[in-house]
Amino acid sequence: MPLPSFALAVANLADGPHAVVLSAGNLLNLDSVADSLKLTAPISTRAVLDDWDRLLPALRAVVASGDGEWTALSDATMAAPVEPRQILQAGANYRKHVIDLAVKHADIANGRTEDQVRAETADLMDKRAAQGDPYFFIGLPSAVTGPYDTVTLPAGTHKNDWELELAAVVGRPAYRLSPEEALDAIAGYTIANDLTTRELVFRRDMPEIGTDWLRAKNAPGFLPIGPWIVPKDDAGAVSAMRLTLELEGKAMQDESTEDMLFGVAELVSAVSQTVQLLPGDLILTGSPAGNGMHWGRLLRDGDVMTSTITGLGYQQTPVVNAS
């Protein structure tokens, strides 16, 4: 699969984890050029994102010079590319996904056909996109894991699902941004797989309280991210990226960001009306159609998910049951 031409990441090298830059299939250890970057080693990717506007051109210059210690990508293993302070997660943001869910949960036998449910939900989605607001909830940094790490399904659960998402990575402090300002606060983009335990989404003991995203989405390792943070200028058109998740070689999700109800700029602006965004924060932008609930096929022991997004590389995530 093609690599990004330039990206920020964290790699496990011979002497441990290091912040690195990818270029031409090789990794530059940023600690080896700390003086050139006017940073103190050990350098973290969050420290780079804290000063992104200054450091991005400096990183490009150091890479062009060829200075520093370089390692072949094949000699390293990739870790999660950042330790975020905040994870803001958009829900119900892909039109077809919401329509499919409505059909799944509708009482088709009660005088309504599937076509009627689809048409009614499509109309609601059009109205929401025109007049509504994005929906967000919060994820925990403790759920983050690397792009190739094994995920252990929580003990006693049976309905664990995948949700491939484009994640925007914040590159400067920001609050109450307009949509026109929003992308200026974004350093770049990465891949996220926002796993969900479906039987924990709704509280049976207290239905009126609604969804319980804390229990459903924040098990250890339930948010593989990375491997790369690709700067927005290197990532291509964010409005036309292809998201594909394969399970055991079969494409389960395969959709374009064109199907979003709210684009990345609208999402970043909306969440910034409430949240003071900080460098390194992740803003997940929703998952397209094709989740396990749609297919009637959920995650099980021994599965391997391969997740790709145009221009951002890929993840490969094995799944095991709790022992």
Side-chain angles (χ1 to χ4, degrees), residues 5 81 89 97-98 115-116 125-127 146 227 284 303 307 323:
S5 59
Q89 298 171 261
H97 181 202
V98 177
D115 287 344
Q116 285 175 321
M125 291 304 97
D126 291 342
K127 290 178 180 176
L284 276 60
D303 281 342
S307 308
S323 56

Side-chain angles (χ1 to χ4, degrees), residues 41-260:
I43 296 171
S44 68
T45 53
R46 204 162 79 190
V48 174
L49 292 164
D50 278 337
D51 200 6
W52 184 248
D53 291 339
R54 179 184 71 84
L55 285 172
L56 178 57
L59 291 171
R60 295 192 192 278
V62 170
V63 166
S65 74
D67 293 343
E69 298 172 5
W70 290 81
T71 300
L73 177 58
S74 58
D75 292 332
T77 58
M78 305 312 297
V82 68
E83 294 181 0
R85 284 171 279 211
Q86 303 181 109
I87 303 169
L88 298 317
Q89 298 171 261
N93 193 45
Y94 276 78
R95 191 174 187 274
K96 187 175 184 297
H97 181 202
V98 177
I99 293 170
D100 285 348
L101 287 176
V103 169
K104 188 75 176 177
H105 294 293
D107 186 1
I108 300 296
N110 190 25
R112 302 166 75 205
T113 67
E114 178 177 326
D115 287 344
Q116 285 175 321
V117 174
R118 288 189 178 277
E120 291 166 7
T121 308
D123 184 57
L124 287 173
M125 291 304 97
D126 291 342
K127 290 178 180 176
R128 181 171 170 236
Q131 304 170 9
D133 297 306
Y135 169 67
F136 278 95
F137 51 93
I138 301 169
L140 297 180
S142 59
V144 168
T145 193
Y148 310 117
D149 293 342
T150 297
V151 171
T152 300
L153 303 178
T157 63
H158 305 283
K159 295 182 179 180
N160 294 287
D161 207 342
W162 55 85
E163 294 200 60
L164 176 60
E165 305 199 22
L166 171 68
V169 184
V170 177
R172 63 172 68 158
Y175 185 56
R176 292 190 173 274
L177 300 170
S178 70
E180 293 73 26
E181 299 169 321
L183 293 186
D184 289 340
I186 298 304
Y189 300 99
T190 193
I191 301 171
N193 189 354
D194 181 27
L195 302 178
T196 305
T197 303
R198 295 294 180 190
E199 65 259 49
L200 298 180
V201 171
F202 297 102
R203 293 295 296 253
R204 295 184 179 181
D205 59 334
M206 197 175 180
E208 52 278 339
I209 206 168
T211 51
D212 188 344
W213 296 123
L214 176 70
R215 294 196 307 169
K217 286 184 172 288
N218 287 289
F222 253 42
L223 187 62
I225 63 169
W228 316 110
I229 297 172
V230 181
K232 61 189 175 189
D233 290 341
D234 299 86
V238 74
S239 60
M241 290 180 170
R242 197 85 193 172
L243 289 76
T244 305
L245 184 142
E246 294 183 354
L247 186 68
E248 299 301 308
K250 178 182 177 182
M252 310 302 279
Q253 292 182 286
D254 187 14
E255 187 58 81
S256 168
T257 50
E258 292 175 330
D259 195 47
M260 284 184 179

Side-chain angles (χ1 to χ4, degrees), residues 284-319:
L284 276 60
T285 59
S287 189
N291 300 120
M293 288 294 286
H294 168 76
W295 294 108
R297 168 41 166 113
L298 294 153
L299 291 170
R300 55 195 183 213
D301 186 58
D303 281 342
V304 177
M305 296 175 286
T306 301
S307 308
T308 63
I309 299 180
T310 307
L312 305 184
Y314 76 99
Q315 298 182 354
Q316 197 157 65
T317 309
V319 174

